[in-house]
Amino acid sequence: MEGRDRLFVYSGGFLTQRRVRRILQLKGWRLRTGLPGPADWVGVWGASPTAHRGHRVAHLRGAPVLSVEDAFLRSLHPGRAGEPPLGLLLDRSGVHFDPDRPSDLETCLATHPLDDPQLLDRAEAGMTRMITAHLSKYSATDPDLPLPDPGYVLVIDQTVGDASVRASRGDKAAFEAMLACARREHPKRRIVLKAHPETVSGQRAGHLDRAAGVEVLTTPVAPGPIMARAHAIYTYSSGLGFEAVLHGLRPVVFGQPFYAGWGLTDDRGALLARRTRTLNRSQLFAAAMIIFPTWYDPYRDALCEFETVLDTLDAQARAWRADRQGYVSTELSRWKHRHMRATFGGSGKFEIISDPVRAAERAEETGKPLLVWAGRAQAVPPAPRVMRVEDGFLRSNGLGARLVPPASLAVDDMGIYYDPGQPSRLEHLIAASPRLLPAEIARSARLRAMIVAAGLSKYNIGQSTGTEGAILVPGQVEDDASIQFGAGDVATNEALLKAVRTANPDARIVYKPHPDVEAGLRQGALPEDRILRFADAVARNADPIALLATTTEVWTITSLLGFEALLRGIPVTTIGAPFYAGWGLTRDFGKVPERRTARPSLDALVHAVLIDYPRYHDPVTNLPCPPEVIVERLAAGAAGARSPIQIALGRIQALIPNHWRR
């Protein structure tokens, strides 16, 4: 029984690759060295050069063999680059790419009913997500890179020594014959060669990388766009042939990979008589991506479902694509440098230049984006690509003014979310959100439910209290950028309170001061007597989410608490023009931009605001991560840890007059 099996291994990779070892342990295998007994198993890595050791021991000892291989959605980079896999294929019968005998995957494809509607819905949603997010076995690709003009014939190369090529009796001559066939069948079309990432990086030679008369793709283009422009696709046994099927294409296949022989490919290799079933692509995907693999969640150190891996790889790929060129950064507070380097410097050089003029010049020299804190963007000279960065909406367990680093950041290449005077990337995403797919809406609904259940807000501080059915009026930092840009005639906390009381003369009104103001770190404090001229009570040092639990309505200028109220189905009235106003979900008295004509659902808005717009950085693994991980970290109190130096600086900051702070 799996869960009590000892697995004897004879390849160092099983012992040195911690991720592989951990996945096997979580699946119930106990790794051992030595000689197996009659109830033990032998583990081998596919058809690797060391697999013969395990097979020989298994034969001599009469032990069964477990073949281990990377799953088909592996990682950003190939394993030779040192990146661990997000999933494994554990096969007790064979290896998925070896046609000599049926593997467990082939048996699943041949015999599993693959007719459960819920399973096939998951498959359809998974394929769509992979395509729209440009996820592949190796997802360090950029869909925005220039592509060849459409109409070419795409020939997919593979590395010399590739196990799937050897298993299908392939060699250099077989690849040359495939290329010749492509030319013969399409004599008037260009040939574009898709090289393997390991060939492009110089790690392994390809079969056709020196072929004459072909255009070789050496940039990390995303597979989807390059295949969509192709007139025909030729492959020997590459996993990209499988991905071509998922994209609704019919590749010409010369080897005998696991995805051939089911009626979805144009098979030119020797046909396997045992593959008699006709499948559709959803059934193929369901077996190969949902049923058969063992998937791993690096944030929770646990086995997981396929959809969790999609979230993981999507977050990591988005960060890689954004960061791969590196950045030149300026106008950042010094205490933020370490965190910004960790968040943005993972896959590209992150330069910090204090002089904004020199920084703009350096950005233009290098072609890198110029990253600047949004509130200080006006101090930066014009540059070709300015990226404004601000705290995200699920930030931390503690205040930024106390030097607590953020777990999420919003990066905007168009404007910034709190400035309605110009379009922002967030506004663009919200406007497009009514076109989201049902699976995307379902994800944002789950995320919203997680946030509400965990009782989270932006800063997650304060003591529990109630408002007893009152109108809640959140105070704001009066010199905050959201007030400077998003407020109209009502731009102070006292003016806000007066406006609320005028509109609601008989209501119970509770005023909640902003936590930065209460801490003495920012402007906007009001004496008690002036507050009570308009409000019935003051909720000091209060947990905003506990206040919302008994609030009947929220009135605000631009406070994020208005958005947090929307998450909980509480009516919101805005007097300014926050990012969430003007979309039909709030009552708006402020001057909201006329261009906000889209009418998204609440969960569509949530998807734009909390999934598409910010980026999240896991403080535990130090990796880019999905928002769901940050929700769990915040709920567990694991987001917002400060070093002793940051704690000391935060205390000093509280003593410095506000107008001296930078």
Side-chain angles (χ1 to χ4, degrees):
M1 281 291 293
E2 192 170 282
R4 296 190 295 272
D5 289 333
R6 297 195 304 174
L7 186 69
F8 285 77
V9 296
Y10 306 95
S11 170
F14 282 107
L15 303 176
T16 60
Q17 295 183 38
R18 290 185 297 173
R19 175 73 60 78
V20 171
R21 188 171 69 249
R22 182 58 176 154
I23 295 173
L24 288 168
Q25 289 171 344
L26 289 170
K27 192 66 175 174
W29 296 99
R30 295 178 292 159
L31 270 65
R32 296 288 187 271
T33 56
L35 294 176
D40 298 324
W41 286 71
V42 170
V44 301
W45 190 269
S48 68
T50 61
H52 66 91
R53 302 174 191 165
H55 284 292
R56 184 165 59 249
V57 171
H59 176 72
L60 292 174
R61 305 287 293 187
V65 173
L66 178 76
S67 293
V68 183
E69 266 287 346
D70 290 328
F72 303 123
L73 197 63
R74 186 192 186 279
S75 53
L76 283 178
H77 305 282
R80 289 178 183 271
E83 188 167 353
L86 288 168
L88 296 175
L89 305 177
L90 308 179
D91 202 308
R92 295 167 179 249
S93 302
V95 188
H96 69 85
F97 53 72
D98 185 355
D100 283 350
R101 55 177 176 170
S103 64
D104 287 349
L105 175 55
E106 181 179 328
T107 300
C108 179
L109 289 165
T111 64
H112 193 289
L114 298 173
D115 60 357
D116 179 71
Q118 186 176 12
L119 173 66
L120 297 180
D121 285 346
R122 288 179 64 195
E124 284 287 342
M127 286 189 291
T128 301
R129 178 87 181 276
M130 280 185 62
I131 292 168
T132 56
H134 300 285
L135 302 181
S136 182
K137 183 175 183 179
Y138 309 120
S139 292
T141 61
D142 190 343
D144 295 327
L145 287 172
L147 298 170
D149 292 335
Y152 48 81
V153 174
L154 183 67
V155 177
I156 300 171
D157 199 7
Q158 293 173 253
T159 57
V160 173
D162 182 276
S164 74
V165 174
R166 294 200 315 268
S168 289
R169 278 67 173 177
D171 53 18
K172 186 175 180 62
F175 274 77
E176 290 174 344
M178 177 175 69
L179 176 60
C181 180
R183 283 174 166 156
R184 184 172 61 254
E185 294 180 348
H186 306 278
K188 296 183 180 180
R189 295 191 179 272
R190 300 168 5 258
I191 303 292
V192 172
L193 185 73
K194 176 67 176 72
H196 192 279
E198 291 180 351
T199 301
V200 173
S201 64
Q203 294 174 313
R204 300 173 75 185
H207 291 90
L208 298 172
D209 51 342
R210 298 181 184 276
V214 299
E215 178 182 346
V216 182
L217 285 171
T218 58
T219 56
V221 294
I226 198 67
M227 290 191 293
R229 287 177 164 232
H231 177 75
I233 299 173
Y234 286 71
T235 183
Y236 197 80
S237 59
S238 171
L240 283 181
F242 170 57
E243 294 182 23
V245 173
L246 307 187
H247 281 75
L249 306 172
R250 188 178 179 85
V252 180
V253 180
F254 283 75
Q256 296 167 308
F258 77 91
Y259 55 85
W262 310 105
L264 294 165
T265 52
D266 182 351
D267 300 318
R268 306 294 179 85
L271 296 177
L272 294 174
R274 64 180 183 265
R275 296 185 185 176
T276 59
R277 189 180 187 186
T278 299
L279 300 173
N280 60 43
R281 66 190 186 114
S282 296
Q283 292 172 317
L284 177 68
F285 186 93
M289 303 297 274
I290 297 176
I291 297 173
F292 185 58
T294 298
W295 296 110
Y296 177 75
D297 181 345
Y299 310 108
R300 302 169 181 91
D301 185 32
L303 301 184
C304 65
E305 298 293 327
F306 171 68
E307 290 81 0
T308 301
V309 174
L310 286 177
D311 294 344
T312 297
L313 200 53
D314 186 15
Q316 295 182 2
R318 286 175 58 192
W320 181 87
R321 289 162 190 162
D323 300 346
R324 71 185 190 88
Q325 291 181 299
Y327 298 93
V328 175
S329 187
T330 190
E331 291 297 312
L332 295 177
S333 299
R334 185 167 294 276
W335 75 270
K336 296 176 182 174
H337 287 192
R338 180 180 178 185
H339 182 74
M340 296 292 281
R341 288 186 189 278
T343 302
F344 294 100
S347 57
K349 189 175 180 182
F350 189 84
E351 299 181 67
I352 299 177
I353 300 176
S354 58
D355 180 2
V357 175
R358 176 60 190 135
E361 292 172 349
R362 177 64 175 164
E364 189 162 6
E365 290 169 6
T366 60
K368 295 179 180 178
L370 180 61
L371 192 71
V372 57
W373 202 259
R376 300 175 187 171
Q378 293 177 334
V380 178
R385 296 171 60 200
V386 176
M387 311 288 285
R388 296 167 179 83
V389 61
E390 254 291 352
D391 288 336
F393 309 119
L394 290 169
R395 188 192 184 280
S396 55
N397 288 311
L399 301 175
R402 292 288 193 191
L403 309 191
V404 177
S408 67
L409 291 166
V411 182
D412 203 307
D413 60 339
M414 298 174 65
I416 193 63
Y417 69 86
Y418 56 68
D419 182 4
Q422 60 179 329
S424 68
R425 177 60 59 183
L426 176 56
E427 194 174 85
H428 174 79
L429 291 168
I430 295 173
S433 65
R435 298 191 293 273
L436 290 170
L437 298 169
E440 294 172 308
I441 296 296
R443 181 189 178 193
S444 60
R446 290 192 299 270
L447 177 63
R448 181 164 66 91
M450 286 179 65
I451 293 169
V452 172
L456 297 182
S457 65
K458 182 176 182 179
Y459 297 115
N460 302 290
I461 58 173
Q463 301 171 354
S464 296
T465 185
T467 59
E468 302 174 7
I471 293 176
L472 179 63
V473 179
Q476 296 190 237
V477 176
E478 290 183 353
D479 62 346
D480 188 73
S482 72
I483 293 294
Q484 294 176 13
F485 291 98
D489 296 334
V490 177
T492 66
N493 291 323
E494 188 170 10
L496 170 62
L497 280 168
K498 182 179 180 180
V500 177
R501 175 55 73 195
T502 300
N504 303 275
D506 301 321
R508 174 173 167 77
I509 296 173
V510 173
Y511 177 70
K512 182 199 175 303
H514 191 281
D516 279 346
V517 175
E518 283 193 290
L521 301 171
R522 302 290 297 275
Q523 292 181 7
L526 282 174
E528 188 96 358
D529 59 334
R530 289 168 61 184
I531 295 174
L532 295 178
R533 288 174 59 192
F534 307 106
D536 297 286
V538 184
R540 296 197 180 277
N541 299 309
D543 177 0
I545 304 308
L547 290 174
L548 289 176
T550 54
T551 291
T552 57
E553 187 177 356
V554 170
W555 282 60
T556 181
I557 304 174
T558 60
S559 172
L560 184 65
L561 197 60
F563 175 68
E564 293 172 344
L566 287 179
L567 296 183
R568 293 156 175 85
I570 298 170
V572 176
T573 297
T574 66
I575 297 179
F579 67 86
Y580 53 85
W583 307 105
L585 297 169
T586 54
R587 181 172 60 165
D588 304 315
F589 291 146
K591 189 177 180 180
V592 177
E594 294 182 0
R595 62 181 178 270
R596 297 184 183 176
T597 58
R599 291 295 177 262
S601 67
L602 175 57
D603 287 320
L605 177 76
V606 168
H607 198 284
V609 175
L610 295 180
I611 296 177
D612 284 338
Y613 187 54
R615 58 187 297 162
Y616 298 88
H617 193 81
D618 180 22
V620 177
T621 63
N622 199 33
L623 292 171
C625 68
E628 292 86 350
V629 172
I630 292 303
V631 169
E632 293 180 14
R633 300 291 193 237
L634 290 170
R642 293 181 292 170
S643 68
I645 292 176
Q646 286 174 325
I647 293 172
L649 289 174
R651 290 171 178 168
I652 294 171
Q653 173 120 330
L655 302 176
I656 300 174
N658 188 73
H659 63 277
W660 288 357
R661 295 195 192 112
R662 175 181 168 81

